[in-house]
């Protein structure tokens, strides 16, 4: 039977040395403030249904990229709205933009989605 007690006010824990503490010690498993800000920005970018649809279209493309001109029709959105959503996804580091002539082509940044998934996985 553990005799550990937690003090939520200051985050301390009184536990005998043999017992596991109720509050994890600071370390690699805890996000830093900067990491949390970056993750929040990336998850916020994915929190819009239209941006999720854009990501789905781009990631399922046989060429692994999609021209901006191919997005308004399947999304049912005007070009300026599509461009706004694309900018958010690019700024969040989820999509890569490459300009070719008058058109811009978008592709998923390698490892971007995997790193988001890994950020949610329990750390050993």
């Amino acid at each position: 039977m553990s005799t550990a007690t937690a003090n939520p006010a200051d985050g301390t824990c009184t536990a005998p040395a043999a017992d596991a503490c109720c509050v994890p010690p600071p370390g690699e498993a805890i996000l830093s403030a900067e990491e949390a800000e970056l993750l929040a920005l990336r998850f916020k970018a994915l929190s819009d249904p239209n941006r999720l649809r854009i990501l789905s279209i781009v990631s399922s493309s046989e060429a692994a990229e999609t021209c901006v001109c191919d997005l308004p029709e399947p999304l049912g959105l005007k070009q300026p709205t599509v461009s706004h959503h694309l900018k958010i996804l690019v700024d969040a580091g989820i999509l890569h933009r490459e300009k070719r002539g008058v058109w811009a082509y978008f592709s998923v940044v390698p490892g971007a989605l995997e790193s988001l998934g890994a950020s949610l996985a329990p750390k050993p």
Side-chain angles (χ1 to χ4, degrees):
M1 183 166 150
S2 175
T3 59
T5 57
N7 183 349
D10 64 8
T12 61
C13 177
T14 58
D19 288 346
C21 188
C22 49
V23 178
E28 293 180 28
I30 298 173
L31 290 174
S32 69
E34 295 82 19
E35 291 170 326
E37 286 290 330
L38 179 59
L39 277 174
L41 174 73
R42 295 175 85 194
F43 281 115
K44 185 176 179 182
L46 293 175
S47 68
D48 183 276
N50 289 313
R51 291 193 284 268
L52 285 173
R53 291 183 67 209
I54 289 170
L55 184 59
S56 174
I57 292 168
V58 173
S59 64
S60 65
S61 167
E62 287 183 23
E65 66 181 8
T66 303
C67 179
V68 67
C69 64
D70 294 328
L71 294 170
E73 185 178 334
L75 294 169
L77 300 173
K78 302 275 187 200
Q79 182 63 48
T81 304
V82 171
S83 293
H84 166 75
H85 288 303
L86 287 166
K87 180 181 182 333
I88 291 171
L89 290 167
V90 169
D91 289 348
I94 296 168
L95 291 183
H96 170 74
R97 179 181 184 267
E98 182 181 333
K99 183 117 166 124
R100 297 184 204 151
V102 297
W103 298 113
Y105 289 79
F106 294 86
S107 58
V108 178
V109 171
L113 300 177
E114 293 81 0
S115 71
L116 282 172
S119 70
L120 298 175
K123 309 285 188 278

